[in-house]
Amino acid sequence: MLLRIDHVGIACHNLSEKIEFYESVFGLTVVSREINEEQGVREAMLHVADGDQGASYVQLLEPLHPDTAVGKFLAKRGEGVHHVGYGVTDITKALEEISAKGVRLVDERPRHGSMGASIAFLHPKDIGGVLTELVETSRR
Ligand code: CMX
Ligand code: CO
């Protein structure tokens, strides 16, 4: 069901500073910068590698307001890994299959994610404390 690790989502207080850090330490390149009001984030995707099943990224996330998923996470836990995003071929089918196994879905239906992808989150409390995102890459 899972094709690859699409991205690792990292929560930070200052997106521009964190981008510079990842560029200078790892030589990564920003391929997309977006504001996603629905998710409450200002974010950047930095390309890590290309594989047979698609590319993988680091997603840096700064909250738009304290009362957002990432804002609350930062207040509680500070900066660090916020979620793991896995690539899937058919996100609607994957959600159905995972839900049938008793895992709570944060999103019953896919939403809009970075770079035109369809995304949906699974509840961290049912995945051993790991907020997990499914990503169906846009076929542009
Ligand atoms: N990883 C692991 N556990 C997490 C978590 C995370 N990222 N975020 C919250 N939790 C835990 C909290 O620690 C808390 O556990 P305890 O009760 O044991 O303390 C519990 O989940 C509830 O947390 P909360 O702070 O009360 O937050 P909410 O219940 O309001 O929301 C969640 C939690 C997962 C439903 C919410 O963060 C959410 O909807 N996330 C999905 C959307 C998202 O993260 N968007 C930003 C990224 C966008 C992108 O990737 O494109
Ligand atoms: Co993500």
Side-chain angles (χ1 to χ4, degrees), residues 37-106:
E37 296 276 355
E38 190 183 38
Q39 297 293 340
V41 293
R42 177 176 289 118
E43 56 131 320
M45 292 296 241
L46 290 82
H47 179 259
V48 177
D50 287 313
D52 292 347
Q53 303 294 338
S56 64
Y57 306 91
V58 171
Q59 180 182 35
L60 300 177
L61 302 156
E62 178 192 308
L64 290 176
H65 317 284
D67 191 19
T68 56
V70 177
K72 287 202 270 181
F73 178 92
L74 279 173
K76 244 184 185 171
R77 305 196 193 191
E79 294 189 319
V81 174
H82 179 257
H83 65 270
V84 176
Y86 295 103
V88 294
T89 317
D90 182 340
I91 192 164
T92 304
K93 187 157 164 268
L95 284 173
E96 267 172 32
E97 288 176 17
I98 292 166
S99 169
K101 289 180 183 160
V103 171
R104 266 173 299 166
L105 310 178
V106 172

Side-chain angles (χ1 to χ4, degrees), residues 6-9 43 45 59 61 83-85 114 119 121 133 135:
D6 181 276
H7 66 272
V8 175
E43 56 131 320
M45 292 296 241
Q59 180 182 35
L61 302 156
H83 65 270
V84 176
S114 320
I119 62 169
F121 287 88
E133 177 183 352
V135 182

